[in-house]
Every structure is written in structure tokens, then in C-alpha cells.
Amino acid sequence: MSNEHDLVELNVTGMHCNNCALSVHKLLEKKGLQDIHVDFANEEVKFSGAEDSSLPTIIKDIEGLGFKVYEQEEAPQEKFYDKIENRFYFSLIFTIPLFSHMFLPFHWLHNPYIQLALCLPVFILGAIHFGKSAFNSLKNGMPNMDVLIFIGFTSAFIYSLVGTAFELGANYMFYETTAVIITLVLLGNLFEKRSVSQTTSAIKDLLKYQQVKATRIKGETHEVIDSRTIQSGDILLVNTGDKIPADGDIIWGDASVNESLITGESIPVEKTKYDSVIGGTLVEHGTIKISATKVGKHSVLSQIIEIMKRAQSSKPPIQRLGDKVAGVFVPVVVSISALTFILAYFAFNIELGDSIMRAIAVLVISCPCAMGLATPTAVMVGLGRGAKKGVLIKGGATVEEMANLKYMVFDKTGTLTTGDFNIKAMDVIDISKEDAASIIVGLESYSNHPIAKSLVKELQSQVVKKFIFTEVKEIKGLGIKAVDNDGNTYEIGSNKIINSGEDDFDIYLKRNNNLLVKISIEDQLKPDAKELIDILKEQKITPILLSGDRKEKCESVAKKLGIEVVYAEKLPQEKLDIIDSYKEQGTTAMVGDGINDAPALTTADVGISLGNASQVAIQSAKVVLLNNDLKSVITLLKVGKHTLITIKQNLFWAFFYNVFAIPLAALGFLGPMLAALAMAFSDVVVIGNSLRLKIKKLN
């Protein structure tokens, strides 16, 4: 159990299906709590907005529904008789002979007392399994689906029991109906539990990466420890083939590290001393010693897992609709069932037994588990599919927003362009090109600015002699000032250093106040930028360029890519105002490189952060693209679109199934046993359709 940032996490056991999860969800909603997430497959309940003093009452009420809240450390082993599979097998053993009397010629199977003996264990199991949940949900004023199931099989059992007691004959024998309903609904629950645990497999896969052994170096000794016990500052040895046990910095050695877990990119990255490494990634070749920096909840992988868990819990608006329908469903269905019986028996003079069976069939077939599963299963699979491709989506609601996107706003440098610069033109005055290159490389090697690095990289090969500078000073926003051995002063920087209105070049170099060099540079476009802009236009999404860079630069990039709307030379606050104005016109996404675009990413409906999984990017954006490429934005659009299609298909099948099946049951075309089978089948159809998203070709 933890309580961090007002978010309370509880571990709850005993939840077998979506019904149980819905009961807990409604209970917490009734208490006015927010950010509620109930995941029965992972036994997790999360919510915020609770006072510390009210927590014991909330726990007591959850346990009042028939579940058990436990501490993470003392995770209880599910008892043999509590396991859903064992309950199903137990009821199946008695149900098969009971059901077989309908087509086997053994006379003794028709004996009402033998049928009662075979049915009784199944009925008791059903009464415990569904009755407890039904009773607790009624007690809390939130009737769940188990109420329908319980009324259904109990009615059939009592009716048969009365027939046996008063020897009323074969027309009163519906013991097999009781047993088959219980067995088939348990089978449905079993399918549900197994399928949902498949849909949450993306998180389970990530958790496996965290559970590794580590070699800690203390003085001369090496000790093997569990990665969960690593502390910040520990020195760890990692050899070829080992998973890196924690985030850290290399202090010795070099290695090829496969970071596909984080970035989706399978080509290993070469790492050497002082480079940082991420826990869970794999050393393919080499041996390194690292100093652990971020451990436990602060590691990149832990934060990704946390994002995935929260994402799977946030409900898109389309699911809230399903929840509302499910909320009024039980009383409506019980009323339809009662009406079915009254009309059949009193208005149409149908036999008592047949009238009761029709009413029971209505109860059993209506169970809208499929409706409850429609959205979460699709969202889980969609998010998992995105995560495998290095696209971290922080919530079900984001999926829906991506599918309804009107505008996509791009930052320029580092987003549409690589951040690497080429020299477009270089004019030299009273100096040779080689000397100019030597001076520029000498000065710019003192700076970490991306433009400085690009100039050094491009001009390095033209250097003919080394200029020695005695004083070097970098002035932010202006450039570099320096003095050489002979007392000459140099300045390199933007047009601000020449105090003239000239604006045709980007970088100027002066010696002793005389202009020596004028350089015009251009930013390289990212390889997938053009394809992405074309796809956006095809999908009627307007691409917009929003940058603080010079107008000519922005217009040049926009022209190459085919972007018609350009905002240049904008300050951070102006960027926010522009995004706000677009949000009023339609759903707006902002794509930026995380650090400097954090405010804009937070303001947009969907903030998409390119770049390394930096702290700021993870916190401010709704989507983090771990690969740092624009192809991931295309993946994101596809995942969003297909997840929403899957949700709509699921909801259609779930609603259509109920609308179609209830009248059939009421008219007597579907008996209770067929109804129970159909109900289990509807869950399987919905979950199967969601799982299809795992392998579906995304166009």
C-alpha cells in the first residue's frame, strides 16, 4: 500500500472478473474519490482525493464487498478453493452427469433425488461465489451483475426443489439448468481472467526486466545482490550478456548496449566512460562498471511502468458511457425478467415452468460483462502495442483524442529538424578559407551549443594550424569572445556582434573589430518529416510550425515539408497563446523535444514529447516517443485510430448482443442454459477482438 502525491494504491485480492472490479469502482465513486482505477487482473485499486483519516473506512468498505486488502509484502497465496479455475472444475464434475440425463438412457439419472444430490454441491458453490458478491453489492446500494446470475439459478433450484418435495413430476425438474448456469458463468469468468491477464502482458514483460541480479563492488569484494536492494551511489559490475540492473553513469570500461526495451531501436548503442545507461537494457558486448544514480521508483523503467499502469486506468469518454449504461442495467433487467414471467404466465397462459425458465433466461443472458470489458481490454492491448514500438501513451483518453485530432503543432529545431547544422554558405574577407576554418574550430570547440558542435564537425578537416587562445568567454545569447597569444581579440556569434541590421547570415567572426567571416547555416530535416506531414494532410489534420527561430529559417523548412501555417520568432508565452487559440477550434497535439517545450506540451490537448525519456518529458507530455524519431508519430496515429475502431466494434457487439438476445430469451427461443453459454461467448468475442489488435496490420 502506498500513498504518494495523494494517490492511494491498495492491493486487493478476491476480484475474479470485471463485475467485481465494477463493484469496487462504484463504491469508491460513491465516496467522491477521483482518478479511480480498479484492475482485477493485477489485483490493484488506485484512487486519489482521500483523507488519511478516511482510509481505514474505505478499506473496511472494500472488504465489506467480500474482497481482502493486503500489504504488498504479505501478498496472500490464493487458497485452493478460492481459485476460479478450481471452482469451475469442481462444478463441472457434477454438472456433466447431471446434464447427460437428457441424452443418456440410464434410468437412475432421471431420479429427482439423484439429480438433487448432484446439483446441491454446485448450487452451494454458486451461492457462495455469486451470492456473497450479489448480497454485498445490494447492501451497498450498487447492484452488480452477480445479482442477475444469483436470482436466475436460485429460482431454477427452488422451483425444482418444490417439484421434488411435492412429487410434481418431470416438468418441475430444472436441476441441470441451475448447475449449467453456474458452471458456464464460472467458465466465462475464467476466460475473462486469463484474457485480461494477456492484455496486461506489456506491463508484466517490463516488470521482468526489473527483476535481475546485480554484482556490487565493495573494495576488493564482489557480491551478488537483488537489483531491488541497490542504493544510489553503489558501484556495479556489468558483463557481456547481463542486463544493466539500475540507471547509472559508466565510470570504467565501454560496451555496446541494446536499448530496444526503451527506444524500440535494435541497433546497439556504443557507450563509454561518463555516458549514462538505463536499467533493464542489455550489454551485448563489453564490460563496464557503473555508479548507480536513479534507483527504485525514480528509474526510467519504473516510471515507464507507472505510466503504463496509470494509462490503462484512465478511461476514455467512450467507456464512461458504457459504465453509465451498466449502472442502470441491473434494475432494468430484473424488471424485464419479472414482466416476462407475468406476461407469459398470466397473459399468454404458458405453463408455470416454461414461464419461469423464460424469466431466468432473460436474467442470465443480460449480464453485460462484455460491455464492461469492451473498452479496457482494447485500451490495454493498444497501449501495449504502442509501448513495444517505443510509443508510451499515458492514458485511454489520449487514444480517443488522437483519433479526433484537428491540428498538430510542431516545434522546429530537434523536432522536424535533426538539430545538426550544415554550412549553406561561407564568405571570407581578407583571410584564407583554411585560416578561417582553423579560427572557427578553435573558438567553437569551447562551446556545447548544437550549432558550435556542428561547425566544429564540418570544418575540422580544413584546419591547417592550431590557434592558441589565452582567454575564452562564452556569453549566452551572443557568442564567444577570446584573446590569442599575440593579444588579438576575437568575437564569433550572431548578427548582434556586428551591430548592423544585416540579417542574411547566421554567424559572424570578427578579429580586432574587423569582420572576417560570414556564415549561413541550414538545419537538416529529419528523414521521416515529409512522410509524416503528407500523412497528416491525408487524414485532414492541419500541420502547423511554431518556433522561436528566425522567420526565413522557419519558412524555408515549412516550404520543403509542405506546411502552410507558420509562426516564427515566438516567445514561450506567445507559443502558449497560439496553442490555446487552436484548442478552441479543435483537438490539438503539440510535438516537441521535451525539455524546452514542456509548458507547450502540457497546454496542448495531447503533448507528444520526442527525445530521450527525460524527467521533464515524462512528466509534461501525454505521449513520450522513446525512439526520438517522427516515424513514432505515425505509429501513434495508427495505434490511436485502430484502438478506437476496436473499442467501437466491441461496444457494438456488446450492445447488439444484449438488444438482440433479451427479446429472444423473453419469447422462449433461448433457454437458460443456452443463455449462459451465449453470455460466456459474448465475453470471448469482445476479448478476442481486443487481442486481435496485438497482431492486426495497422494501416
Side-chain angles (χ1 to χ4, degrees), residues 556-573:
S556 161
V557 166
K559 195 175 173 193
K560 285 178 191 168
L561 294 174
I563 297 175
E564 281 146 35
V565 187
V566 181
Y567 296 92
E569 300 175 21
K570 295 297 173 200
L571 298 167
Q573 185 51 52

Side-chain angles (χ1 to χ4, degrees), residues 380-448:
M380 283 172 183
V381 175
L383 298 183
R385 175 126 192 215
K388 281 208 164 89
K389 299 245 180 200
V391 178
L392 271 191
I393 305 168
K394 288 198 207 171
T398 308
V399 168
E400 201 163 331
E401 284 164 338
M402 284 309 301
N404 299 320
L405 217 51
K406 272 271 178 31
Y407 304 100
M408 193 175 277
V409 182
F410 293 91
D411 171 49
K412 182 178 76 73
T413 310
T415 301
L416 291 172
T417 62
T418 57
D420 292 332
F421 299 87
N422 295 336
I423 295 174
K424 192 175 169 187
M426 182 164 149
D427 287 3
V428 293
I429 305 152
D430 303 331
I431 190 174
S432 71
K433 272 203 164 171
E434 289 74 16
D435 278 355
S438 304
I439 295 167
I440 292 165
V441 169
L443 290 168
E444 294 288 30
S445 56
Y446 286 98
S447 172
N448 275 326

Side-chain angles (χ1 to χ4, degrees), residues 18-73:
N18 207 54
N19 266 346
C20 308
L22 267 175
S23 305
V24 177
H25 200 288
K26 284 182 193 167
L27 170 79
L28 299 175
E29 225 164 28
K30 223 176 173 187
K31 291 182 173 292
L33 301 167
Q34 290 104 38
D35 308 320
I36 303 164
H37 162 45
V38 184
D39 179 355
F40 75 86
N42 289 323
E43 300 195 334
E44 284 183 340
V45 173
K46 296 182 188 178
F47 52 85
S48 64
E51 297 288 327
D52 282 350
S53 56
S54 65
L55 209 52
T57 316
I58 293 168
I59 291 172
K60 195 174 166 217
D61 290 345
I62 292 174
E63 294 193 326
L65 287 172
F67 310 117
K68 176 96 179 75
V69 178
Y70 64 92
E71 289 285 346
Q72 186 69 52
E73 292 70 37

Side-chain angles (χ1 to χ4, degrees), residues 94-231:
F94 293 96
T95 304
I96 288 171
L98 184 55
F99 184 66
S100 63
H101 88 274
M102 298 173 80
F103 40 83
L104 288 180
F106 303 128
H107 184 67
W108 56 272
L109 280 176
H110 293 261
N111 184 313
Y113 293 102
I114 285 176
Q115 286 193 17
L116 172 60
L118 287 169
C119 178
L120 197 58
V122 183
F123 174 73
I124 292 168
L125 175 79
I128 292 168
H129 184 85
F130 299 105
K132 194 163 90 174
S133 165
F135 174 72
N136 286 324
S137 76
L138 286 169
K139 190 175 77 180
N140 285 287
M142 293 166 297
N144 65 11
M145 306 312 139
D146 289 341
V147 173
L148 304 180
I149 305 296
F150 183 75
I151 296 172
F153 69 72
T154 306
S155 313
F157 183 75
I158 292 170
Y159 182 73
S160 308
L161 202 59
V162 170
T164 304
F166 295 102
E167 296 182 353
L168 298 173
N171 285 349
Y172 280 77
M173 292 297 111
F174 289 108
Y175 288 119
E176 75 284 345
T177 301
T178 306
V180 168
I181 290 172
I182 293 167
T183 306
L184 284 175
V185 176
L186 284 171
L187 176 65
N189 287 0
L190 181 59
F191 276 146
E192 204 173 317
K193 190 169 186 185
R194 288 196 176 162
S195 306
V196 172
S197 68
Q198 256 191 292
T199 65
T200 56
S201 62
I203 290 176
K204 288 183 179 143
D205 291 347
L206 287 175
L207 284 167
K208 278 183 206 151
Y209 284 102
Q210 283 193 312
Q211 293 153 5
V212 294
K213 294 284 179 217
T215 306
R216 179 162 61 195
I217 301 172
K218 269 199 168 177
E220 295 299 308
T221 61
H222 290 191
E223 53 177 336
V224 177
I225 56 169
D226 191 299
S227 61
R228 282 174 294 195
T229 63
I230 294 171
Q231 293 182 334

